[in-house]
């Protein structure tokens, strides 16, 4: 959104945009086969104008497209919609998994959702959210003759913060990112890393007037005409971080298990449990790729390791220490003759 030329701190400060966000109410239940664009147009709170942005829940797109599965097939649907698992925990209700979804983003349960859906069903995300946004945008233009942008929204958590927020799952017609690198800040200092996720900001702003509880699936955002173009643009997929740039491709437990050849073991429970249980899991992880002729016998907080040659025993000890770390435990070593005893202590939490 910035209009300041890079390297010119003396350039005038651009006018601050004024945004208007208005809910589209009264749409009713969307069903398979419905003309979603027509329903949106009928629910507009005011005549649309060139440069307006419609933020639309992906849920109503999926309903109109008939992307449903029986609730009894939820686990199979999650598996089919997942490219890889980032982190998983066992809960009293089944397996909770954070995965890279087939639709692109990393999300809980690959975005498979049962909220605000017909009883006994779950909804899937569109296979290509940007293509869905492009199709919806084209139909809206056909109906209105107006140059609108479309942001297809969904909800996700964030790894460093509690709670969920809406983000741009798909996008057409809106500049998805505002790359400020190469410019300067208000004090004239160079900007080197700042790329605003404009489409995500629009999705989050729109969710302030829509949402699951209010049963308002869409919002009109006005005031961003300078960011809306004739072309559909690269879409929200351009905001996905490349694998080589992703510092958080695995959860800490999953990263340790992958390194130790134990990725095939059952995920741990969401509640870690008593120390003895965590120690037993750590032993299983340490031995997952073989013990090199060594044994590891857990008893309460202690594990007694013996056998093999010195190298094999030392390797198993280090594997166990790493596995204990993944359980938020710290191993303390002592010798008992030819046996190495590892005592587990609770690691200090911040």
């Amino acid at each position: 959104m910035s209009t300041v030329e890079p390297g010119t701190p003396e350039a005038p400060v651009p006018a601050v945009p004024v945004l208007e966000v208005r809910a589209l109410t009264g749409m009713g239940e969307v069903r398979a086969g419905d003309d979603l664009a027509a329903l949106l147009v009928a629910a507009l709170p005011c005549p649309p104008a060139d440069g307006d942005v419609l933020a639309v829940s992906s849920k109503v797109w999926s309903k109109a497209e008939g992307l449903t599965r029986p609730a009894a097939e939820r686990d199979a649907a999650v598996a089919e919609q997942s490219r890889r698992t980032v982190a998983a925990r066992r809960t009293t209700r089944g397996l909770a998994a954070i995965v890279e979804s087939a639709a692109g983003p990393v999300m809980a349960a690959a975005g498979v959702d049962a909220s605000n859906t017909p009883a006994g069903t779950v909804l899937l995300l569109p296979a290509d959210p940007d293509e869905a946004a492009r199709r919806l945008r084209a139909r809206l233009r056909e109906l209105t003759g107006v140059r609108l942008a479309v942001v297809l929204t969904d909800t996700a958590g964030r790894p460093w913060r509690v709670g969920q927020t809406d983000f741009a799952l798909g996008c057409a017609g809106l500049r998805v990112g505002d790359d400020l690198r190469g410019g300067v800040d208000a004090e004239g200092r160079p900007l080197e890393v700042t790329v605003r996720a404009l489409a995500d900001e629009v999705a989050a702003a729109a969710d302030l007037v829509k949402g699951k509880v209010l049963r308002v699936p869409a919002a009109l955002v006005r005031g961003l005409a300078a960011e809306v173009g004739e072309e559909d643009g690269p879409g929200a997929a351009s905001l996905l971080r490349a694998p080589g740039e992703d510092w958080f491709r695995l959860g800490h437990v999953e990263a340790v298990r992958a390194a130790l050849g134990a990725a095939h073991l059952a995920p741990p429970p969401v509640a870690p449990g008593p120390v003895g249980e965590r120690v037993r899991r750590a032993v299983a992880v340490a031995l997952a790729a073989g013990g090199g002729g060594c044994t590891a016998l857990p008893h309460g907080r202690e594990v007694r390791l013996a056998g093999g040659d010195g190298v094999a025993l030392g390797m198993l000890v280090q594997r166990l220490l790493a596995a204990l770390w993944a359980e938020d435990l710290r191993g303390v070593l002592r010798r008992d003759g030819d046996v190495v005893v590892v005592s587990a202590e609770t690691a200090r939490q911040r």
Side-chain angles (χ1 to χ4, degrees):
M1 294 173 61
S2 173
T3 60
V4 178
E5 291 297 322
T8 57
E10 71 283 354
V13 177
V16 177
V18 176
L19 296 184
E20 180 182 355
V21 184
R22 300 182 64 177
L24 274 65
T25 59
M27 283 185 57
E29 182 63 25
V30 177
R31 294 177 173 82
D34 282 349
D35 185 340
L36 179 59
L39 295 177
L40 292 167
V41 170
L44 284 169
C46 59
D50 283 341
D52 284 348
V53 182
L54 272 183
V56 182
S57 168
S58 64
K59 188 180 296 291
V60 291
W61 171 270
S62 294
K63 287 182 177 181
E65 293 292 304
L67 301 179
T68 62
R69 291 281 292 273
E73 299 177 10
R74 178 186 179 278
D75 290 348
V78 172
E80 292 168 6
Q81 296 293 309
S82 301
R83 290 177 179 168
R84 64 180 182 89
T85 299
V86 175
R89 299 291 182 272
R90 288 180 286 115
T91 75
T92 56
R93 299 177 59 186
L95 186 67
I98 307 298
V99 305
E100 180 184 340
S101 66
V106 172
M107 304 176 69
V112 176
D113 194 2
S115 61
N116 287 339
T117 62
T121 65
V122 294
L123 278 175
L124 311 183
L125 295 179
D128 186 341
D130 287 324
E131 175 60 22
R134 289 190 287 267
R135 286 173 53 193
L136 183 55
R137 186 190 192 211
R139 177 61 175 150
L140 286 166
R141 183 148 197 178
E142 179 183 331
L143 293 174
T144 66
V146 171
R147 177 172 50 85
L148 302 171
V150 170
V151 175
L152 207 62
T153 71
D154 213 295
T155 306
R158 299 151 299 165
W160 300 294
R161 297 180 70 81
V162 174
Q164 293 78 37
T165 187
D166 267 25
F167 70 100
L169 178 70
C171 186
L174 177 72
R175 186 155 62 105
V176 294
D178 186 17
D179 192 346
L180 302 178
R181 294 172 296 182
V184 295
D185 66 12
E187 302 299 325
R189 290 184 291 266
L191 296 171
E192 298 177 350
V193 298
T194 304
V195 181
R196 292 178 54 210
L198 183 59
D200 286 344
E201 292 178 334
V202 169
D207 196 49
L208 295 174
V209 299
K210 66 182 187 66
K212 296 179 180 179
V213 176
L214 298 175
R215 287 186 175 272
V216 176
L220 177 76
V221 180
R222 178 166 290 173
L224 294 172
E227 312 303 330
V228 176
E230 287 290 343
E231 301 298 322
D232 289 331
S238 63
L239 293 176
L240 298 176
R241 196 177 295 278
E245 300 173 355
D246 188 353
W247 295 0
F248 310 100
R249 283 183 62 76
L250 292 173
H252 75 286
V253 171
E254 287 71 20
V256 169
R257 289 185 171 200
L260 297 181
H264 61 283
L265 297 182
V270 67
V275 171
E277 179 182 325
R278 292 151 68 185
V279 168
R280 290 192 295 274
R281 279 200 302 270
V283 169
V285 169
L287 291 172
C294 304
T295 59
L297 303 177
H299 181 71
R301 288 176 171 266
E302 288 191 347
V303 182
R304 298 177 65 84
L305 301 98
D309 58 29
V311 172
L313 185 59
M315 291 176 61
L316 184 57
V317 168
Q318 293 303 316
R319 291 173 62 86
L320 178 60
L321 293 177
L324 288 170
W325 178 88
E327 294 284 349
D328 291 325
L329 297 172
R330 181 171 67 92
V332 179
L333 308 182
R334 62 181 174 86
R335 293 299 297 251
D336 183 6
D338 293 333
V339 176
V340 176
V341 181
V342 180
S343 298
E345 297 182 353
T346 303
R348 179 175 296 180
Q349 303 293 315
R350 68 176 179 86

